[in-house]
Amino acid sequence: MRNTAKNAKTALSFAAMVAGASLMSSVAFAGDVADGYKLITDKKKGNCVACHAIAAPDGKNNQAGNAGPPLHILDAAGEKSVMPGYMKMRFPNRADLYDQIYDATKKNENTLMPPFGSFNILSEAEINSIMDYLYSI
């Protein structure tokens, strides 16, 4: 009887530790929407706008790269988003988008997209900020 209680206590302690670590990692690396847009346009960091069409926060200064797929869908005048949540539709699983930004060569060795995480161009927190911005437009 004593061993059963001890084993249950150990199992519960382990479960609490795992749950706590999981919660801490999501909080510790939560991104920031405003920082995400800054990184997207920063030529020394993400510079996503060099290749991708991306909506600007003000909706007026949209970026229009054309080497990679668009990261938002605008109307014919290029002024307003006609498909909010486009990136959530493309990447419903946040981990898939993270992997794409971290190292796109893992899914497509011939991609032109740099492996931002593998080459330490962007940190985990910076990638999360970029994802937060992309999911916000």
Side-chain angles (χ1 to χ4, degrees):
M1 180 85 166
R2 205 174 228 344
N3 280 342
T4 303
K6 187 176 180 180
N7 290 341
K9 182 179 176 184
T10 301
L12 287 173
S13 295
F14 179 73
M17 182 180 70
V18 169
S22 174
L23 179 61
M24 283 185 351
S25 68
S26 65
V27 170
F29 297 108
D32 178 270
V33 173
D35 285 344
Y37 185 72
K38 289 176 192 170
L39 290 163
I40 283 170
T41 57
D42 184 338
K43 292 180 181 176
K44 294 180 182 176
K45 285 299 211 171
N47 197 25
C48 309
V49 298
C51 298
H52 299 281
I54 300 174
D58 63 8
K60 296 177 185 173
N61 298 306
N62 296 312
Q63 307 294 320
N66 62 7
L71 303 180
H72 73 288
I73 304 297
L74 290 177
D75 63 9
E79 294 175 0
K80 97 177 185 185
S81 180
V82 294
M83 195 179 291
Y86 174 66
M87 289 304 287
K88 284 182 186 175
M89 287 185 271
R90 281 188 62 200
F91 293 95
N93 181 356
R94 193 172 165 95
D96 291 339
L97 178 56
Y98 182 90
D99 291 343
Q100 180 69 19
I101 297 170
Y102 188 85
D103 190 348
T105 64
K106 289 184 178 181
K107 277 194 168 180
N108 176 4
E109 64 185 34
N110 297 317
T111 185
L112 298 175
M113 186 166 172
F116 290 102
S118 293
F119 284 9
N120 296 315
I121 299 166
L122 295 170
S123 69
E124 185 172 347
E126 290 171 327
I127 292 172
N128 276 293
S129 291
I130 289 171
M131 293 186 338
D132 286 346
Y133 180 72
L134 294 175
Y135 280 162
S136 78
I137 58 174

mmCIF file with all atom_site columns, all heavy atoms in Angstrom, residues 119-132:
data_model
loop_
_atom_site.group_PDB
_atom_site.id
_atom_site.type_symbol
_atom_site.label_atom_id
_atom_site.label_alt_id
_atom_site.label_comp_id
_atom_site.label_asym_id
_atom_site.label_entity_id
_atom_site.label_seq_id
_atom_site.pdbx_PDB_ins_code
_atom_site.Cartn_x
_atom_site.Cartn_y
_atom_site.Cartn_z
_atom_site.occupancy
_atom_site.B_iso_or_equiv
_atom_site.pdbx_formal_charge
_atom_site.auth_seq_id
_atom_site.auth_comp_id
_atom_site.auth_asym_id
_atom_site.auth_atom_id
_atom_site.pdbx_PDB_model_num
ATOM 1   N N   . PHE A 1 119 ? 21.084 28.687 -39.417 1.00 0.00 ? 119 PHE A N   1
ATOM 2   C CA  . PHE A 1 119 ? 22.255 29.543 -39.620 1.00 0.00 ? 119 PHE A CA  1
ATOM 3   C C   . PHE A 1 119 ? 22.356 30.646 -38.564 1.00 0.00 ? 119 PHE A C   1
ATOM 4   O O   . PHE A 1 119 ? 23.157 31.557 -38.689 1.00 0.00 ? 119 PHE A O   1
ATOM 5   C CB  . PHE A 1 119 ? 22.227 30.173 -41.011 1.00 0.00 ? 119 PHE A CB  1
ATOM 6   C CG  . PHE A 1 119 ? 22.596 29.227 -42.130 1.00 0.00 ? 119 PHE A CG  1
ATOM 7   C CD1 . PHE A 1 119 ? 22.757 27.878 -41.932 1.00 0.00 ? 119 PHE A CD1 1
ATOM 8   C CD2 . PHE A 1 119 ? 22.766 29.719 -43.411 1.00 0.00 ? 119 PHE A CD2 1
ATOM 9   C CE1 . PHE A 1 119 ? 23.085 27.032 -42.974 1.00 0.00 ? 119 PHE A CE1 1
ATOM 10  C CE2 . PHE A 1 119 ? 23.096 28.881 -44.457 1.00 0.00 ? 119 PHE A CE2 1
ATOM 11  C CZ  . PHE A 1 119 ? 23.266 27.531 -44.247 1.00 0.00 ? 119 PHE A CZ  1
ATOM 12  N N   . ASN A 1 120 ? 21.526 30.563 -37.534 1.00 0.00 ? 120 ASN A N   1
ATOM 13  C CA  . ASN A 1 120 ? 21.522 31.540 -36.426 1.00 0.00 ? 120 ASN A CA  1
ATOM 14  C C   . ASN A 1 120 ? 21.314 32.978 -36.888 1.00 0.00 ? 120 ASN A C   1
ATOM 15  O O   . ASN A 1 120 ? 21.850 33.913 -36.296 1.00 0.00 ? 120 ASN A O   1
ATOM 16  C CB  . ASN A 1 120 ? 22.811 31.422 -35.599 1.00 0.00 ? 120 ASN A CB  1
ATOM 17  C CG  . ASN A 1 120 ? 22.927 30.091 -34.923 1.00 0.00 ? 120 ASN A CG  1
ATOM 18  O OD1 . ASN A 1 120 ? 21.965 29.594 -34.344 1.00 0.00 ? 120 ASN A OD1 1
ATOM 19  N ND2 . ASN A 1 120 ? 24.081 29.473 -35.013 1.00 0.00 ? 120 ASN A ND2 1
ATOM 20  N N   . ILE A 1 121 ? 20.531 33.146 -37.932 1.00 0.00 ? 121 ILE A N   1
ATOM 21  C CA  . ILE A 1 121 ? 20.156 34.493 -38.393 1.00 0.00 ? 121 ILE A CA  1
ATOM 22  C C   . ILE A 1 121 ? 19.044 35.013 -37.487 1.00 0.00 ? 121 ILE A C   1
ATOM 23  O O   . ILE A 1 121 ? 19.019 36.194 -37.140 1.00 0.00 ? 121 ILE A O   1
ATOM 24  C CB  . ILE A 1 121 ? 19.705 34.458 -39.868 1.00 0.00 ? 121 ILE A CB  1
ATOM 25  C CG1 . ILE A 1 121 ? 20.851 33.972 -40.756 1.00 0.00 ? 121 ILE A CG1 1
ATOM 26  C CG2 . ILE A 1 121 ? 19.204 35.823 -40.316 1.00 0.00 ? 121 ILE A CG2 1
ATOM 27  C CD1 . ILE A 1 121 ? 20.439 33.587 -42.167 1.00 0.00 ? 121 ILE A CD1 1
ATOM 28  N N   . LEU A 1 122 ? 18.118 34.117 -37.134 1.00 0.00 ? 122 LEU A N   1
ATOM 29  C CA  . LEU A 1 122 ? 17.009 34.457 -36.246 1.00 0.00 ? 122 LEU A CA  1
ATOM 30  C C   . LEU A 1 122 ? 17.011 33.515 -35.052 1.00 0.00 ? 122 LEU A C   1
ATOM 31  O O   . LEU A 1 122 ? 17.250 32.312 -35.203 1.00 0.00 ? 122 LEU A O   1
ATOM 32  C CB  . LEU A 1 122 ? 15.672 34.323 -36.976 1.00 0.00 ? 122 LEU A CB  1
ATOM 33  C CG  . LEU A 1 122 ? 15.405 35.276 -38.135 1.00 0.00 ? 122 LEU A CG  1
ATOM 34  C CD1 . LEU A 1 122 ? 14.161 34.849 -38.898 1.00 0.00 ? 122 LEU A CD1 1
ATOM 35  C CD2 . LEU A 1 122 ? 15.266 36.702 -37.637 1.00 0.00 ? 122 LEU A CD2 1
ATOM 36  N N   . SER A 1 123 ? 16.701 34.062 -33.888 1.00 0.00 ? 123 SER A N   1
ATOM 37  C CA  . SER A 1 123 ? 16.569 33.242 -32.682 1.00 0.00 ? 123 SER A CA  1
ATOM 38  C C   . SER A 1 123 ? 15.179 32.608 -32.649 1.00 0.00 ? 123 SER A C   1
ATOM 39  O O   . SER A 1 123 ? 14.289 32.978 -33.432 1.00 0.00 ? 123 SER A O   1
ATOM 40  C CB  . SER A 1 123 ? 16.756 34.111 -31.433 1.00 0.00 ? 123 SER A CB  1
ATOM 41  O OG  . SER A 1 123 ? 15.652 35.000 -31.296 1.00 0.00 ? 123 SER A OG  1
ATOM 42  N N   . GLU A 1 124 ? 14.978 31.712 -31.712 1.00 0.00 ? 124 GLU A N   1
ATOM 43  C CA  . GLU A 1 124 ? 13.672 31.076 -31.544 1.00 0.00 ? 124 GLU A CA  1
ATOM 44  C C   . GLU A 1 124 ? 12.606 32.129 -31.223 1.00 0.00 ? 124 GLU A C   1
ATOM 45  O O   . GLU A 1 124 ? 11.507 32.099 -31.771 1.00 0.00 ? 124 GLU A O   1
ATOM 46  C CB  . GLU A 1 124 ? 13.738 30.027 -30.437 1.00 0.00 ? 124 GLU A CB  1
ATOM 47  C CG  . GLU A 1 124 ? 12.462 29.238 -30.277 1.00 0.00 ? 124 GLU A CG  1
ATOM 48  C CD  . GLU A 1 124 ? 12.603 28.070 -29.309 1.00 0.00 ? 124 GLU A CD  1
ATOM 49  O OE1 . GLU A 1 124 ? 13.716 27.699 -28.939 1.00 0.00 ? 124 GLU A OE1 1
ATOM 50  O OE2 . GLU A 1 124 ? 11.540 27.522 -28.936 1.00 0.00 ? 124 GLU A OE2 1
ATOM 51  N N   . ALA A 1 125 ? 12.953 33.080 -30.346 1.00 0.00 ? 125 ALA A N   1
ATOM 52  C CA  . ALA A 1 125 ? 12.000 34.137 -29.985 1.00 0.00 ? 125 ALA A CA  1
ATOM 53  C C   . ALA A 1 125 ? 11.680 35.018 -31.197 1.00 0.00 ? 125 ALA A C   1
ATOM 54  O O   . ALA A 1 125 ? 10.529 35.419 -31.383 1.00 0.00 ? 125 ALA A O   1
ATOM 55  C CB  . ALA A 1 125 ? 12.560 34.984 -28.848 1.00 0.00 ? 125 ALA A CB  1
ATOM 56  N N   . GLU A 1 126 ? 12.667 35.305 -32.026 1.00 0.00 ? 126 GLU A N   1
ATOM 57  C CA  . GLU A 1 126 ? 12.433 36.131 -33.220 1.00 0.00 ? 126 GLU A CA  1
ATOM 58  C C   . GLU A 1 126 ? 11.550 35.408 -34.228 1.00 0.00 ? 126 GLU A C   1
ATOM 59  O O   . GLU A 1 126 ? 10.658 36.014 -34.825 1.00 0.00 ? 126 GLU A O   1
ATOM 60  C CB  . GLU A 1 126 ? 13.769 36.528 -33.850 1.00 0.00 ? 126 GLU A CB  1
ATOM 61  C CG  . GLU A 1 126 ? 14.544 37.520 -33.016 1.00 0.00 ? 126 GLU A CG  1
ATOM 62  C CD  . GLU A 1 126 ? 15.953 37.758 -33.505 1.00 0.00 ? 126 GLU A CD  1
ATOM 63  O OE1 . GLU A 1 126 ? 16.597 36.822 -34.042 1.00 0.00 ? 126 GLU A OE1 1
ATOM 64  O OE2 . GLU A 1 126 ? 16.440 38.896 -33.327 1.00 0.00 ? 126 GLU A OE2 1
ATOM 65  N N   . ILE A 1 127 ? 11.774 34.121 -34.403 1.00 0.00 ? 127 ILE A N   1
ATOM 66  C CA  . ILE A 1 127 ? 10.919 33.341 -35.306 1.00 0.00 ? 127 ILE A CA  1
ATOM 67  C C   . ILE A 1 127 ? 9.488  33.350 -34.791 1.00 0.00 ? 127 ILE A C   1
ATOM 68  O O   . ILE A 1 127 ? 8.536  33.526 -35.557 1.00 0.00 ? 127 ILE A O   1
ATOM 69  C CB  . ILE A 1 127 ? 11.449 31.898 -35.481 1.00 0.00 ? 127 ILE A CB  1
ATOM 70  C CG1 . ILE A 1 127 ? 12.781 31.919 -36.237 1.00 0.00 ? 127 ILE A CG1 1
ATOM 71  C CG2 . ILE A 1 127 ? 10.421 31.020 -36.209 1.00 0.00 ? 127 ILE A CG2 1
ATOM 72  C CD1 . ILE A 1 127 ? 13.491 30.573 -36.291 1.00 0.00 ? 127 ILE A CD1 1
ATOM 73  N N   . ASN A 1 128 ? 9.310  33.218 -33.484 1.00 0.00 ? 128 ASN A N   1
ATOM 74  C CA  . ASN A 1 128 ? 7.966  33.255 -32.905 1.00 0.00 ? 128 ASN A CA  1
ATOM 75  C C   . ASN A 1 128 ? 7.310  34.615 -33.104 1.00 0.00 ? 128 ASN A C   1
ATOM 76  O O   . ASN A 1 128 ? 6.108  34.697 -33.356 1.00 0.00 ? 128 ASN A O   1
ATOM 77  C CB  . ASN A 1 128 ? 8.004  32.862 -31.429 1.00 0.00 ? 128 ASN A CB  1
ATOM 78  C CG  . ASN A 1 128 ? 7.979  31.360 -31.266 1.00 0.00 ? 128 ASN A CG  1
ATOM 79  O OD1 . ASN A 1 128 ? 6.991  30.723 -31.578 1.00 0.00 ? 128 ASN A OD1 1
ATOM 80  N ND2 . ASN A 1 128 ? 9.077  30.801 -30.796 1.00 0.00 ? 128 ASN A ND2 1
ATOM 81  N N   . SER A 1 129 ? 8.069  35.693 -33.016 1.00 0.00 ? 129 SER A N   1
ATOM 82  C CA  . SER A 1 129 ? 7.512  37.031 -33.256 1.00 0.00 ? 129 SER A CA  1
ATOM 83  C C   . SER A 1 129 ? 7.060  37.169 -34.704 1.00 0.00 ? 129 SER A C   1
ATOM 84  O O   . SER A 1 129 ? 5.991  37.724 -34.988 1.00 0.00 ? 129 SER A O   1
ATOM 85  C CB  . SER A 1 129 ? 8.549  38.111 -32.926 1.00 0.00 ? 129 SER A CB  1
ATOM 86  O OG  . SER A 1 129 ? 8.781  38.169 -31.546 1.00 0.00 ? 129 SER A OG  1
ATOM 87  N N   . ILE A 1 130 ? 7.855  36.667 -35.622 1.00 0.00 ? 130 ILE A N   1
ATOM 88  C CA  . ILE A 1 130 ? 7.480  36.703 -37.040 1.00 0.00 ? 130 ILE A CA  1
ATOM 89  C C   . ILE A 1 130 ? 6.202  35.897 -37.261 1.00 0.00 ? 130 ILE A C   1
ATOM 90  O O   . ILE A 1 130 ? 5.277  36.348 -37.943 1.00 0.00 ? 130 ILE A O   1
ATOM 91  C CB  . ILE A 1 130 ? 8.629  36.185 -37.924 1.00 0.00 ? 130 ILE A CB  1
ATOM 92  C CG1 . ILE A 1 130 ? 9.768  37.207 -37.941 1.00 0.00 ? 130 ILE A CG1 1
ATOM 93  C CG2 . ILE A 1 130 ? 8.142  35.878 -39.342 1.00 0.00 ? 130 ILE A CG2 1
ATOM 94  C CD1 . ILE A 1 130 ? 11.042 36.719 -38.602 1.00 0.00 ? 130 ILE A CD1 1
ATOM 95  N N   . MET A 1 131 ? 6.120  34.736 -36.662 1.00 0.00 ? 131 MET A N   1
ATOM 96  C CA  . MET A 1 131 ? 4.914  33.915 -36.803 1.00 0.00 ? 131 MET A CA  1
ATOM 97  C C   . MET A 1 131 ? 3.706  34.629 -36.212 1.00 0.00 ? 131 MET A C   1
ATOM 98  O O   . MET A 1 131 ? 2.626  34.578 -36.803 1.00 0.00 ? 131 MET A O   1
ATOM 99  C CB  . MET A 1 131 ? 5.124  32.553 -36.136 1.00 0.00 ? 131 MET A CB  1
ATOM 100 C CG  . MET A 1 131 ? 6.150  31.715 -36.850 1.00 0.00 ? 131 MET A CG  1
ATOM 101 S SD  . MET A 1 131 ? 6.381  30.017 -36.252 1.00 0.00 ? 131 MET A SD  1
ATOM 102 C CE  . MET A 1 131 ? 5.804  30.000 -34.623 1.00 0.00 ? 131 MET A CE  1
ATOM 103 N N   . ASP A 1 132 ? 3.867  35.285 -35.081 1.00 0.00 ? 132 ASP A N   1
ATOM 104 C CA  . ASP A 1 132 ? 2.749  36.027 -34.487 1.00 0.00 ? 132 ASP A CA  1
ATOM 105 C C   . ASP A 1 132 ? 2.261  37.105 -35.438 1.00 0.00 ? 132 ASP A C   1
ATOM 106 O O   . ASP A 1 132 ? 1.056  37.308 -35.575 1.00 0.00 ? 132 ASP A O   1
ATOM 107 C CB  . ASP A 1 132 ? 3.147  36.634 -33.139 1.00 0.00 ? 132 ASP A CB  1
ATOM 108 C CG  . ASP A 1 132 ? 3.248  35.594 -32.040 1.00 0.00 ? 132 ASP A CG  1
ATOM 109 O OD1 . ASP A 1 132 ? 2.772  34.464 -32.233 1.00 0.00 ? 132 ASP A OD1 1
ATOM 110 O OD2 . ASP A 1 132 ? 3.809  35.928 -30.976 1.00 0.00 ? 132 ASP A OD2 1
#
